[in-house]
Structures are given as structure tokens and as C-alpha cells.
């Protein structure tokens, strides 16, 4: 994949800055990688996207990656709706190769982790214990124990990369998250066109109209306000595994 590489830094697989498509696949599956490729073309002046969501090629357009080339190929006969462009790219062989690259880089697991997870039950148990300590005669011991169980549960949740994302993938995603404010393409990779970086909609960062982005299909597990580091690691990595066949 042209311009894309995975590097190892301090024993952790980290996706290179130029490999935004792979980061998109880690966080949101092949469809997110397709959004990244489209935005890279937009920023490079190779396509235009109107307020009506029509994507048009620009004369002399140049693709930097195979997935970008696939999108330009989709537009060779003229403009198409943004939903159709992203859908075609998502189902393409080029998107499948992005997914293979991510798996080979060790950022996602090839099979989901089926191990039992304690943290949701610890949080629920902590809430129950704390409520028991508050209801009726106030008992500090139960309240303290409940709060401690909740804190431990959330600490375990924060360290859990999900059933398909590896710890290396989670660390790479956190690094990308830290760069999202400064780099619109990275913001798309981490949060998607429908997401937000803090309170700033990604759509504003890339200069698209909300009307155009609204034409994109909402995928299962995707929220219009974006999602947190832990949540995305579970659902979106699953989509990266299943959306494109082997």
C-alpha cells in the first residue's frame, strides 16, 4: 500500500502518520477507511463535494493510495452521490487490502477475544453496594466499598482495548486521537465524518456541509457524536473484521 507503513516504537506497533486509512480501519472498519481516502482526495484537490453530496472528479486528479485510486475510478464516468462512493470503496478489494495490512500489523486480532469481562459487573455491583449503604441508615463502609468497586471497574474498562482491538491498536488509536485536533484527516480516521473532536464536528474541520454528510448511511455502532476510546475499540474493530470478506 503506497505511502503506508507500520513502525515499531518501544515495542508497540504504531501506524505511521501517512497510513490514515489503516487507522480508520482500526477505529471504524473499511467504511471509515473509505471516508479517510475520500477526504484525502478532497484535501488534495482531486475531488469536489457539493452541498448536495455529489462527488465530482477534478481534472488531473492524482491518487496517493490504491483506495484513493479506486474512488477516482468510481468517478471516471462523472459525479456520484457520497453514499454511493463510500459504499463502493468499502466493498472494494482495495479496502480488503487495508484490512489485511491492519491485521498483519498486529493492531487487530484475527479472532475476537471471548474471555469473560469483569468490569461491567464490578460497576453494577459497586452501584448496588453504594445504594445499600445510602438507603435507610447511612453506612460509610458500604458506600466506600461501592465507590471502590466502581472505580476499579472503570479502571479495568479504560485498559480494555475490546474484543478485537489489540493493546498495540489501542495505543496507536490514542496517539491518533491526540493529533486529531491538528489534523482533519486524522480526525476522520478516529471519529468519522459524523463524529466530533471535543465539541467541534469533524464535518466542519474538513469543510463539508452537514447536508452532504447526512447522506452517508449510519452504520451499526456508530453515533453521530462520535464515540469514546474504549467503545470504538470494540464495535468498530468488529466491523473492520466482518465488513469485507476474506
Amino acid at each position: 500500500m503506497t505511502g503506508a507503513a507500520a513502525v515499531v516504537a518501544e515495542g508497540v506497533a504504531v501506524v505511521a502518520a501517512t497510513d490514515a486509512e489503516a487507522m480508520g480501519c482500526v477505529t471504524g472498519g473499511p467504511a471509515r477507511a473509505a471516508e479517510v481516502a475520500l477526504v484525502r482526495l478532497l484535501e488534495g484537490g482531486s475531488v469536489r463535494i457539493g452541498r448536495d453530496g455529489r462527488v465530482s472528479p477534478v481534472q488531473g486528479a492524482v491518487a496517493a493510495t490504491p483506495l484513493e485510486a479506486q474512488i477516482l475510478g468510481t468517478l471516471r464516468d462523472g459525479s456520484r452521490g457520497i453514499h454511493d462512493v463510500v459504499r463502493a470503496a468499502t466493498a472494494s478489494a482495495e479496502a480488503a487490502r487495508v484490512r489485511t495490512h491492519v491485521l498483519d500489523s498486529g493492531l487487530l486480532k484475527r479472532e475476537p477475544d471471548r474471555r469473560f469481562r469483569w468490569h461491567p459487573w464490578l460497576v453494577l455491583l459497586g452501584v448496588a453496594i453504594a445504594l445499600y449503604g445510602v438507603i435507610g441508615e447511612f453506612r460509610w463502609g458500604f458506600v466506600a466499598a461501592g465507590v471502590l468497586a466502581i472505580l476499579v471497574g472503570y479502571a479495568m474498562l479504560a485498559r480494555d482495548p475490546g474484543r478485537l482491538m489489540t493493546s498495540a491498536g489501542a495505543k496507536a488509536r490514542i496517539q491518533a486521537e491526540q493529533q486529531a485536533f491538528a489534523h482533519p484527516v486524522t480526525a476522520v480516521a478516529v471519529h468519522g465524518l459524523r463524529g466530533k473532536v471535543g465539541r467541534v464536528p469533524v464535518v466542519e474541520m474538513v469543510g463539508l456541509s452537514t447536508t452532504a454528510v447526512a447522506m452517508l448511511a449510519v452504520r451499526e455502532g456508530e453515533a453521530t457524536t462520535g464515540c469514546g476510546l474504549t467503545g470504538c475499540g470494540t464495535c468498530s474493530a468488529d466491523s473492520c473484521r466482518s465488513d469485507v470478506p476474506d
Side-chain angles (χ1 to χ4, degrees):
M1 191 163 55
T2 304
V7 297
V8 177
E10 297 179 359
V12 177
V14 179
V15 175
T18 54
D19 201 358
E21 291 172 1
M23 192 73 258
C25 188
V26 169
T27 60
R32 180 71 57 76
E35 290 183 5
V36 170
L38 180 59
V39 170
R40 281 174 55 89
L41 288 170
L42 178 65
E43 289 212 327
S46 293
V47 300
R48 296 190 183 95
I49 304 177
R51 294 186 62 83
D52 60 353
R54 301 293 295 181
V55 184
S56 305
V58 174
Q59 187 173 6
V62 177
T65 69
L67 189 54
E68 291 180 23
Q70 188 280 333
I71 291 176
L72 292 179
T74 299
L75 299 171
R76 63 180 175 271
D77 295 326
S79 65
R80 296 184 63 179
I82 189 172
H83 169 65
D84 293 332
V85 171
V86 171
R87 181 174 58 182
T90 300
S92 68
E94 289 79 7
R97 284 196 286 271
V98 174
R99 170 180 170 265
T100 299
H101 171 70
V102 167
L103 290 170
D104 291 344
S105 298
L107 303 177
L108 290 179
K109 303 168 188 173
R110 296 185 181 275
E111 295 296 332
D113 182 359
R114 303 295 186 185
R115 290 179 299 175
F116 180 79
R117 279 163 162 71
W118 287 99
H119 47 75
W121 299 104
L122 269 177
V123 172
L124 289 175
L125 178 63
V127 170
I129 293 174
L131 285 175
Y132 177 77
V134 171
I135 295 174
E137 185 177 345
F138 194 84
R139 302 179 182 179
W140 277 105
F142 284 98
V143 174
V147 170
L148 179 61
I150 293 172
L151 292 176
V152 171
Y154 273 108
M156 293 173 64
L157 176 64
R159 293 173 60 87
D160 183 10
R163 295 193 179 278
L164 278 164
M165 186 179 289
T166 64
S167 58
K171 290 177 181 178
R173 188 187 189 282
I174 291 172
Q175 289 185 352
E177 169 73 20
Q178 293 169 346
Q179 300 173 14
F181 277 104
H183 303 284
V185 172
T186 304
V188 175
V190 176
H191 297 288
L193 284 171
R194 291 178 175 272
K196 290 184 178 181
V197 180
R199 295 184 178 181
V200 180
V202 173
V203 64
E204 292 183 7
M205 297 178 66
V206 299
L208 288 178
S209 70
T210 54
T211 303
V213 174
M215 295 179 183
L216 289 170
V218 178
R219 298 181 294 278
E220 183 179 358
E222 180 184 52
T224 56
T225 56
C227 43
L229 291 175
T230 307
C232 279
T234 303
C235 64
S236 59
D238 191 40
S239 69
C240 195
R241 178 176 179 270
S242 59
D243 283 1
V244 178
D246 289 319

